[in-house]
Amino acid sequence: MTLEQNLAKEREVQEKIFAAINEYRSFRFNAGAGAGKTYALIESIKYILNSKQVELKKNNQKIICITYTNVAVNEIKERLGNTQFAVVSTIHEMLWEQIKLYQKKELIDLHRNKLSKKLKEIQEKIEEHKANPNFSGIFNDNLESFLSLIKETEELYYKIKDYPAQAFKDCYKEFQEEHPYLSSALKNVAKFKFLIELLYKEERYVNAIARIDDPQQRKNIKIQYDSKSNSDRLTAMKFSHDTLLEYSLSMVEKYPMLQRIIVDKYPYFFIDEYQDTHENVIKLVQILHSYVLANDAHQNQQRWLVGYFGDTKQNIYDDGVGSNIQKIHPKLENIDKVFNRRAHLQLINVINKIRDDKILQEPIDPNSKHGNVQFSYLMNTNEENKTIKILEFIEHFKNTISPGEKIDCLVPLNRSLASLGGFENIYKIIGDIIYWKDLNSQLLSHQLEKLHPTVLIFYHLVMFYKKLNNKKTTYHDLLGKTKNDITFEHAKKVIDSFSAMNVTTLHDLVKNISQIIQDNDPNYTNLAIKYCLNNFLVINYSEIKKYDSFYEYIQDMIYQITLEKQNWDEAQKEENEKIIAAILNVNMTEWLNWVSFINEERNENTQVIYHTYHGTKGAEYDNVAIIMEHHFGSKSGKNKFKNYFSHIQSTLEEQDIKLLDINYKKQFENTQNLIYVACSRAKKNLHILYLDDISEIKKGIELLFDKDNINVFN
């Protein structure tokens, strides 16, 4: 086939999408990597704008296009151009736009239900403490007395809560004569503190529910989505990303009128990268579709459709719907595309073998057959020399390409990535507060909503410092929307103070901010400081008053989020305090390197850019180096790649038997998708280095990469 013939076939696929749009038939557009899914999506939107714009304007309607990341939103907007009839946003932005109109009743009711559930969980934990013999004096006869005591001494508690155990006990000596049960309760200080925290939390939840239940107070309540936080603050009437999905689905399920409003407002509903979309979003859209079918079909005037664009083989996130979309939202028209616009034939042949399904790609241009695929492996290696071998491998790769060309290197070993990226100490220390299986997403994700809540605090602190030291930063960047209630002179004085900070560690940064607040605003009324902190950390400035300083406030916020689900014994508490101190004392240069990695900042002078496998999702590069080993960087990833190659080299009968195990099948498909996404990033040159002995899995590797392309790397 010629290029012209292939382009004609490609247009036929696009015409199928146009036909589905004309007839309001909901569809799922499936295409492999490099097929031009975003192009097909944008062409679909343009088609509607060209043929249906008068109708959209007449009915005050718009096309809605939701995608996975802000980067994707900006790309689609740029390629689409300016139009008032298409809304392009992330899923979270779109959902919040729909439900925030119901803050006065429906959303408050939902929030109250969640508060009640959380209150029940807190009370169950309090019940567990009743079994502790040290607390029998409190719960048997003196609960009311104890509650009065901790309420009266709340300010003291927050002042001394981080004292060593004996010093903490000493602060309660003056109360023991009136409250003799304290001597027993204080035998384990860590558990005593945990009980107090639970009781304080219980009171906050009880009060929050009471506010909602009071007709007068309810009038002033506004439930808010906090886009800069990855943890709920329910008693402050704020919630984060996952709860937004939960609330949105609940509201659409419960209120048919909301269904009607959404389908009337957005007759064309497009979802990009559907395979990575949360199941709750797919369920929500399926409800909309069912509503349309039930209410409009009998009148032969169905005027709504959803179009999903994506590829189930590129589902690599645990919370993405993946192939499960067919169960949640069945009876969609399937439109497939087999052309690859990105890669040369040699690379396409490899990724076709990896995905092993009905979509067998071919290059759109038959002359694109000058790619190169090489698979190298080590005969002898150990943990100490792996990073050295990676660097030697990259240098060898450089010699095979033109001078100045960039190499994008995908690294499965988080520790190696951190070392190569210049933030090794951050990785080592934060590994002590995040489960190993979550490090890839909660520390290294380019999507802020996936970062661990504590890690997100660090990110915002460092971004504040980074913005302060960037000459292109504006006052609006630092202060956000100020409602014109501060003067330029006032703002300049505060910004100049922050800009003059002498900082070498994160500890220095927080201490400096504390000192500036203490010197300029001991009463916490300075609006410029308030706007700065709210803009970057989304904190209630007045909350800091409970603590001796901003530093104490930040330390406690980190401590509470980090340790909320851990056991509170004294030894563990002291160890965790050391970990937090160590994190704050990491050099600021490492933090800036980490933030640059999170923000995917590409320095023109840097020839080699390092990525996680997940971090390259949706990207394409001329020259790709992939580092593999048996494991995938965590305990849950033990023998992840080894098991995959072992599977594909076994007989079909053996494979079928293994895949009967649901957990095994899920793990196999996840690994298959991960390797597919990694290998399909390359346009021309793909070089793989396997760091372990491949003798047991060589046949499986040869099935994908061919004997002639496999060699030992010395």
Side-chain angles (χ1 to χ4, degrees), residues 45-61:
I45 297 174
K46 286 180 176 178
Y47 176 78
I48 297 170
L49 292 174
N50 291 333
S51 60
K52 312 283 186 180
Q53 188 163 308
V54 173
E55 187 177 334
L56 290 172
K57 185 176 182 179
K58 177 183 176 183
N59 297 322
N60 193 26
Q61 295 175 316

Side-chain angles (χ1 to χ4, degrees), residues 17-70:
I17 297 176
F18 294 162
I21 289 170
N22 288 335
E23 298 172 22
Y24 290 96
R25 301 194 311 268
S26 293
F27 63 88
R28 185 162 62 101
F29 176 65
N30 308 294
K37 288 186 291 297
T38 304
Y39 172 82
L41 171 61
I42 290 169
E43 286 300 298
S44 300
I45 297 174
K46 286 180 176 178
Y47 176 78
I48 297 170
L49 292 174
N50 291 333
S51 60
K52 312 283 186 180
Q53 188 163 308
V54 173
E55 187 177 334
L56 290 172
K57 185 176 182 179
K58 177 183 176 183
N59 297 322
N60 193 26
Q61 295 175 316
K62 293 183 180 181
I63 306 160
I64 184 75
C65 173
I66 56 179
T67 189
Y68 201 63
T69 65
N70 285 315

Side-chain angles (χ1 to χ4, degrees), residues 30 32 59 85 248 277 437:
N30 308 294
N59 297 322
F85 297 106
S248 300
T277 303
K437 68 181 181 66

Side-chain angles (χ1 to χ4, degrees), residues 3-4 77 167 174 227 332 375 408 576 607 643 652 670:
L3 173 60
E4 289 72 21
K77 283 182 176 179
E174 62 178 289
S227 62
L332 296 166
F375 189 103
D408 287 86
N576 285 322
Q607 187 177 1
N643 290 340
L652 292 177
N670 177 265

Side-chain angles (χ1 to χ4, degrees), residues 160 163-174 176 183 186-189:
I160 67 171
Y163 282 14
Q166 189 56 52
F168 182 87
K169 287 182 182 180
D170 291 343
C171 293
Y172 279 90
K173 278 185 177 179
E174 62 178 289
Q176 288 191 19
S183 59
L186 282 163
K187 286 182 179 178
N188 186 314
V189 169

Side-chain angles (χ1 to χ4, degrees), residues 138 142-150 181-182 192 196 199:
I138 293 175
N142 300 289
L143 182 57
E144 290 301 319
S145 172
F146 182 62
L147 290 175
S148 297
L149 172 66
I150 63 173
Y181 54 83
L182 284 177
F192 178 78
I196 290 180
L199 293 169

Side-chain angles (χ1 to χ4, degrees), residues 353-354 356 375 630 639-656 658-659 664 668 672 675 690 693-705 707 710:
K353 292 176 187 175
I354 296 170
D356 189 28
F375 189 103
H630 288 338
N639 287 324
K640 188 175 181 67
F641 292 136
K642 183 180 181 182
N643 290 340
Y644 170 79
F645 288 115
S646 176
H647 177 94
I648 64 173
Q649 73 183 13
S650 59
T651 66
L652 292 177
E653 184 180 1
E654 290 172 331
Q655 291 180 25
D656 289 340
K658 290 177 181 177
L659 293 173
Y664 179 91
F668 171 78
Q672 179 187 44
I675 295 173
Y690 204 97
D693 177 16
I694 68 167
S695 56
E696 295 180 30
I697 53 174
K698 193 169 185 179
K699 289 182 180 179
I701 292 170
E702 289 174 348
L703 286 172
L704 299 185
F705 299 101
K707 285 184 179 181
I710 300 172

